Amino acid sequence: MTFQQVYGYEPAVRYSAPGRVNLIGEHTDYNDGYVLPFAIDRRTVASIGQRDDRLIRVASAFEPDAVHELSLDELDPSRMQGWSAYVFGIAWALREQAGADLSDKTGLDVFIESDVPVGAGLSSSAAIECGVALAFTDLWELDLDRKTLARVGQYSENHAVGAPTGIMDQSASLLGEEDAVVFLDCRTLDTAVVDLALEANGLEVLVIDTRVEHAHATGGYKARRDSCERGAQVLGVEALRDVSVDDLPRAQELLDDETFRRVRHIVTEDQRVLDTVRTLREQGPRAIGDLLVASHASMRDDFEISVPELDLAVSTALEHGAVGARMTGGGFGGAAIALVDREARDAITTAVTSAFAAAGYREPTVFTVHAAQGARRD
């Protein structure tokens, strides 16, 4: 199905935005901490045509028989349901969060296509949000920069979709560059591009999609965020970003065991991000393996967001020669990543697939990704 088949005319523009892999720094974003994601070469494309009324219509290649409609005069989260909320929510958030005046804007027809895996922790949702946000901003001639659009995307996901996520995903999708990671301070939104240099070092990032789907808007994610906020309140800080590794003994005295372990993950993960940035700059990507492994152990044991399939993917990749491996994304399913030698990619893929079969798990989807350019007009 195409835009023309759904709407009967050719789109005016096409914009695309990538999914992302988080190299390291999990659940630190909503704690005002540090993250180190990169945009990937899997993209969502938004084809858009302009209307002469106030209606926004949304369709997609993955739900070709349904066209969702909402007027610009009726934008409200209570009227948004299902995946189309990721599109309608951007229009609403441009008005509510960024202060855009939409009173004189005309409607749009939107058609979404994507090869970003859904439910794998690669932020297919942010890819939709960022492509649409950039397109709407340009078509409606709004004077908003990409950092503002990252906030718009987060605001939409938090309040229109109902997922309490941080700003990392949108920042990576909007600001990513080829063969580089985006070092993001989630408090100030200051960013720095850090060379990943995988090609020069003969390395690749292997994504192991366990095909265990997760849902950020439910249960575990919110519970972890609540624990972090509770820990910050007890420790008397604005956010866990303000707690250092040296503060952990005091934190352990003040917090119950579960809350302390949640806090310990965030505090040590922030430090691992800083250490990874320094290591990439000083020694290159082959030296970051132990940091990736330590990150996974912290998510498994302290934050308790891994699942057996993710643990098996990580351990099997490491046993068969990966430089480092960890789960990536919000957890409770989704994907793991492994930093591997190019020549070892096929052997590690076979080993992981065989291990899943032996354990009676669903066959994983395994593929490589490369650090890619962020959202753009195609």
Side-chain angles (χ1 to χ4, degrees):
M1 208 65 162
T2 65
F3 181 100
Q4 199 277 338
Q5 289 172 317
V6 173
Y7 297 117
Y9 67 100
E10 289 297 322
V13 296
R14 285 187 173 89
Y15 286 78
S16 72
R20 66 95 188 95
V21 159
N22 192 22
L23 184 65
I24 196 165
E26 225 62 79
H27 287 260
T28 49
D29 55 348
Y30 57 79
N31 289 287
D32 283 0
Y34 305 100
V35 292
L36 199 62
F38 61 90
I40 63 174
D41 51 346
R42 295 288 188 108
R43 304 183 77 86
T44 292
V45 179
S47 302
I48 301 178
Q50 293 183 287
R51 302 176 57 82
D52 57 8
D53 57 16
R54 297 274 290 168
L55 196 64
I56 295 180
R57 297 192 296 179
V58 181
S60 75
F62 42 88
E63 193 186 23
D65 296 329
V67 178
H68 305 263
E69 299 182 352
L70 191 60
S71 169
L72 285 169
D73 300 312
E74 299 174 330
L75 289 175
D76 186 88
S78 65
R79 303 180 67 88
M80 304 172 191
Q81 295 181 341
W83 74 267
S84 61
Y86 290 106
V87 178
F88 295 132
I90 290 297
W92 172 78
L94 284 168
R95 185 187 69 198
E96 297 298 316
Q97 199 276 340
D101 181 4
L102 304 184
S103 62
D104 61 344
K105 308 304 180 186
T106 56
L108 303 167
D109 287 334
V110 181
F111 185 76
I112 301 292
E113 303 166 89
S114 182
D115 65 357
V116 183
V118 175
L122 303 181
S123 204
S124 57
S125 57
I128 295 174
E129 292 160 358
C130 293
V132 168
L134 195 62
F136 285 9
T137 297
D138 285 355
L139 290 168
W140 284 335
E141 299 180 340
L142 305 176
D143 185 20
L144 301 171
D145 62 23
R146 291 187 177 224
K147 288 186 178 181
T148 300
L149 294 183
R151 286 194 179 99
V152 165
Q154 182 198 12
Y155 191 85
S156 173
E157 188 145 352
N158 289 173
H159 301 287
V161 178
T165 55
I167 201 167
M168 171 182 66
D169 298 349
Q170 294 82 7
S171 296
S173 189
L174 285 160
L175 302 173
E177 296 186 14
E178 291 187 9
D179 202 20
V181 286
V182 179
F183 176 37
L184 171 65
D185 181 331
C186 294
R187 172 170 285 169
T188 66
L189 297 192
D190 290 340
T191 59
V193 175
V194 180
D195 287 341
L196 199 46
L198 296 187
E199 180 71 25
N201 285 273
L203 295 172
E204 293 184 340
V205 173
L206 198 63
V207 174
I208 305 163
D209 179 2
T210 66
R211 299 172 70 197
V212 177
E213 292 194 10
H214 57 193
H216 279 174
T218 59
Y221 193 103
K222 183 178 185 301
R224 297 308 184 279
R225 185 163 186 163
D226 289 346
S227 287
C228 293
E229 292 172 354
R230 185 164 57 251
Q233 183 178 21
V234 172
L235 295 173
V237 294
E238 180 181 348
L240 293 182
R241 146 73 169 273
D242 301 310
V243 181
S244 71
V245 173
D246 291 341
D247 294 327
L248 287 175
R250 173 177 170 270
Q252 189 167 18
E253 294 176 359
L254 296 174
L255 301 170
D256 64 85
D257 178 66
E258 181 181 281
T259 304
F260 170 68
R261 287 186 291 110
R262 307 296 189 248
V263 168
R264 180 167 61 186
H265 165 70
I266 299 301
V267 172
T268 57
E269 188 80 344
D270 268 336
Q271 187 60 52
R272 282 186 288 270
V273 174
L274 298 175
D275 291 344
T276 300
V277 170
R278 186 184 67 251
T279 303
L280 282 173
R281 286 170 169 164
E282 295 177 357
Q283 301 177 56
R286 286 191 174 275
I288 67 171
D290 288 347
L291 291 162
L292 302 182
V293 173
S295 174
H296 183 78
S298 181
M299 290 184 287
R300 181 191 64 214
D301 301 334
D302 277 355
F303 223 57
E304 296 182 286
I305 56 173
S306 189
V307 296
E309 290 88 344
L310 286 168
D311 295 337
L312 181 62
V314 168
S315 63
T316 303
L318 292 171
E319 288 165 8
H320 288 81
V323 174
R326 63 184 285 273
M327 60 151 282
T328 188
F332 309 104
I337 57 170
L339 185 61
V340 304
D341 281 288
R342 193 177 298 117
E343 294 77 12
R345 176 189 59 205
D346 292 342
I348 291 174
T349 298
T350 299
V352 170
T353 302
S354 298
F356 271 55
Y361 296 151
R362 192 177 182 186
E363 182 178 354
T365 302
V366 186
F367 53 92
T368 56
V369 292
H370 302 91
Q373 182 186 347
R376 67 188 182 215
R377 180 169 177 168
D378 290 338

